[in-house]
Amino acid sequence: MKILFVSPDIEEKARGINFILKSLVKAAEAEGHEVGLLVGYPDGQAFEKSAQINNKVEHIYLQHYLREGRSSFRYIIPGGYSRRNIAKTILRTDFFKTKEVKVNTDYLSGSSGLEKQLNFFIRSPFFYQFLVRNYVRTSRMLIKRLVKKHKIDLVICASPTVIRSSDVGSAKLAHFVHDVMPFELIEAPPDNDTPNRYAHQFYSSVTNSDLLMANSEDTAGKIKEVNPEANVHVLYGTASSPPKDVPQTSILQNMDLRSKRYLLFTSTLEKRKNIENLLDGYSMIASKINMPLVLVGGPGYGFEDIEAKFRSLSPEVRNNVRFTGYVSEADKYTLFKNAMMFVFPSVYEGIGLVIFEAMLNDLPVITSNRGALPEAGGDAAFYVEDPYNPKEIADAIVKVANDAKLREDMVAKGHKVVSKFTLEKFEARFNKALESIGK
């Protein structure tokens, strides 16, 4: 079966969604399907003197695109991602000129990435810009044409879109739904009309797809609220095992940290991760536990409020809070391996893949009893009932920090929890989902 994956999130570099996309691609490839990806970068000048060299150029652009998203457009045409270039593409009707390229792994360089899991990719210039800007008719017209032209059997969208089953002709359509955060959570960004835009995408997906896949029972329940007859399957996510050969780095020394003597948080630093209340809770007990709080991740929506909260803390507390920003995979796993515990009091998650990472690295986890987090933490995590209450967060940290036996039990239970979220089990759930639509 020829499967085409559609994911505008590649251009936005959304980590969680792209992680699920990679798992979906691996699952499809493992079953022997012909797997492809729709890419949306502009149509550059072909190197007409040599078909082989031109093919290599296509592969280089693909790799830039997958690693850098929209910013890679600057490698292809001057101005890259701009309204002017999109307008030119429309006026010249270049957006109709899709091209399918068979992936030749000999033409790929660097470490293993998503591109090495693909059999083909289809280039449709600026397709995702039409999609995310809600050019609904244009997006639907384009997907209909390219599905027919390239003889696609199944289209899988890695996140909700306005593409409908009627837009893919005789092919089948599946959507993966991660959460409903944009229109249910005040901590979600309202910029660019995100709540309304996502509501359109979500509704279209759950009412116009042959198959819906979700990463938790919580999300599946939200789908059923809107469409009780939806064919929805819960795939969960996959636990990301730490690389076996990654050496310990010097980040502990660089940040003045001691092994097993700091608290760890990793994720985008944004409103819904509840970092302001985490900082308040930590400030209540910083002198009692005598351990730094390490916050790993880049800034997201509401980061200015997190900064303001940090500045409001006493100098003694501020001196024990470490902001690392983005870190390498090696640094991340060094921090995981040496922390005492993982503290993640988020107010909402579609599943919480980072909890799996913590448990795989033998960390006890403190998280909140909200959304799908209890599905991720199982009976291994220590739950905060009210994540908006800093004292409850503080009490949880003190309890886990002062009880070695509790931490040992949490780690042991964590190993059992993550065993439910392996790639093999994800693949089995994925295959069962495809069977429901006769694929």
Side-chain angles (χ1 to χ4, degrees):
M1 179 169 57
K2 191 173 184 180
I3 301 177
L4 179 67
F5 284 92
V6 176
S7 182
D9 307 284
I10 290 173
E11 300 197 347
E12 305 296 337
K13 307 303 288 182
R15 180 181 180 273
I17 294 174
N18 283 338
F19 187 82
I20 289 291
L21 171 64
K22 291 175 183 176
S23 297
L24 289 168
V25 169
K26 286 181 180 178
E29 184 200 35
E31 284 301 302
H33 298 296
E34 187 179 1
V35 180
L37 180 69
L38 182 61
V39 299
Y41 56 81
D43 190 8
Q45 295 295 316
F47 187 81
E48 297 177 350
K49 295 182 179 180
S50 167
Q52 182 186 43
I53 291 177
N54 188 64
N55 200 297
K56 289 183 176 181
V57 169
E58 290 279 6
H59 282 67
I60 288 296
Y61 285 154
L62 171 69
Q63 292 174 91
H64 277 302
Y65 176 74
L66 292 178
R67 284 160 178 72
E68 301 169 54
R70 292 185 301 177
S71 62
S72 67
F73 291 172
R74 70 182 185 275
Y75 294 107
I76 304 170
I77 55 174
Y81 173 75
S82 68
R83 290 180 181 272
R84 183 176 181 181
N85 278 335
I86 295 175
K88 286 181 179 179
T89 299
I90 294 173
L91 291 172
R92 294 195 306 257
T93 67
D94 287 346
F95 63 103
F96 285 125
K97 299 175 183 177
T98 62
K99 179 180 181 181
E100 181 174 342
V101 179
K102 297 295 182 183
V103 172
N104 185 336
T105 54
D106 291 337
Y107 294 166
L108 300 174
S109 62
S111 59
S112 178
L114 177 63
E115 62 271 18
K116 295 189 177 181
Q117 307 290 329
L118 302 174
N119 303 113
F120 69 95
F121 61 96
I122 295 175
R123 174 157 50 74
S124 181
F126 289 116
F127 173 82
Y128 290 124
Q129 300 315 309
F130 301 131
L131 193 62
V132 300
R133 291 170 186 269
N134 268 352
Y135 296 172
V136 177
R137 290 184 179 179
T138 304
S139 302
R140 290 172 173 170
M141 175 181 62
L142 287 174
I143 197 73
K144 182 178 292 187
R145 290 170 66 102
L146 70 86
V147 164
K148 182 178 181 180
K149 175 182 176 181
H150 301 287
K151 297 179 172 58
I152 304 300
D153 300 307
L154 172 63
V155 175
I156 299 180
C157 299
S159 58
T161 73
V162 293
I163 298 171
R164 306 165 302 182
S165 54
S166 59
D167 299 323
V168 297
S170 61
K172 296 289 187 179
L173 175 66
H175 278 93
F176 196 101
V177 183
H178 299 257
D179 56 51
V180 293
M181 176 190 66
F183 58 78
E184 285 204 349
L185 200 69
I186 187 63
E187 288 86 356
D191 56 307
N192 300 321
D193 196 23
T194 296
N196 187 56
R197 181 164 51 87
Y198 186 78
H200 280 283
Q201 295 164 350
F202 176 83
Y203 185 82
S204 179
S205 298
V206 304
T207 58
N208 292 286
S209 298
D210 300 295
L211 169 65
L212 293 160
M213 296 172 282
N215 57 356
S216 67
E217 293 290 351
D218 182 75
T219 300
K222 301 296 185 183
I223 292 171
K224 289 286 190 178
E225 287 178 9
V226 175
N227 181 9
E229 304 303 317
N231 176 27
V232 57
H233 291 249
V234 178
L235 271 60
Y236 292 110
T238 59
S240 176
S241 300
K244 295 179 180 178
D245 301 323
V246 174
Q248 294 273 319
T249 69
S250 60
I251 191 168
L252 297 188
Q253 294 90 329
N254 296 343
M255 304 208 70
D256 191 25
L257 299 171
R258 289 185 294 150
S259 182
K260 305 303 178 184
R261 294 299 303 168
Y262 60 90
L263 316 176
L264 182 65
F265 168 97
T266 70
S267 189
T268 304
L269 305 185
E270 58 185 347
K271 276 280 190 183
R272 70 183 172 99
K273 305 300 180 178
N274 204 28
I275 299 169
E276 292 168 71
N277 285 312
L278 172 58
L279 288 171
D280 273 338
Y282 174 73
S283 69
M284 295 175 183
I285 45 90
S287 61
K288 295 180 183 178
I289 62 172
N290 194 28
M291 284 188 287
L293 170 63
V294 181
L295 303 173
V296 180
Y301 169 68
F303 182 68
E304 61 278 4
D305 293 333
I306 296 170
E307 284 187 306
K309 174 59 68 177
F310 171 72
R311 289 193 297 269
S312 73
L313 303 176
S314 70
E316 293 77 17
V317 174
R318 288 201 305 270
N319 287 338
N320 281 296
V321 177
R322 314 278 201 274
F323 288 89
T324 70
Y326 290 108
V327 298
S328 68
E329 287 294 292
D331 279 344
K332 183 181 75 172
Y333 285 115
T334 296
L335 289 167
F336 268 126
K337 281 296 183 185
N338 290 280
M340 173 183 270
M341 71 180 79
F342 185 70
V343 187
F344 191 69
S346 175
V347 296
Y348 183 90
E349 295 292 327
I351 184 65
L353 295 176
V354 69
I355 288 178
F356 301 156
E357 286 187 297
M359 290 179 174
L360 274 171
N361 284 279
D362 302 327
L363 284 182
V365 172
I366 295 174
T367 190
S368 62
N369 193 17
R370 297 293 179 95
L373 287 165
E375 294 180 60
D379 64 351
F382 190 102
Y383 294 102
V384 174
E385 294 296 327
D386 181 5
Y388 296 105
N389 185 343
K391 186 177 185 305
E392 193 173 342
I393 296 172
D395 290 343
I397 292 172
V398 170
K399 183 171 180 61
V400 175
N402 289 339
D403 193 334
K405 180 63 168 59
L406 174 60
R407 295 198 302 274
E408 183 181 325
D409 290 344
M410 291 172 70
V411 169
K413 289 179 179 178
H415 292 164
K416 294 179 180 179
V417 168
V418 294
S419 69
K420 301 176 184 177
F421 302 103
T422 63
L423 180 58
E424 292 75 20
K425 291 182 178 179
F426 182 92
E427 290 173 354
R429 296 175 186 126
F430 176 74
N431 292 332
K432 184 178 179 180
L434 292 192
E435 288 172 1
S436 73
I437 56 172
K439 295 293 183 180

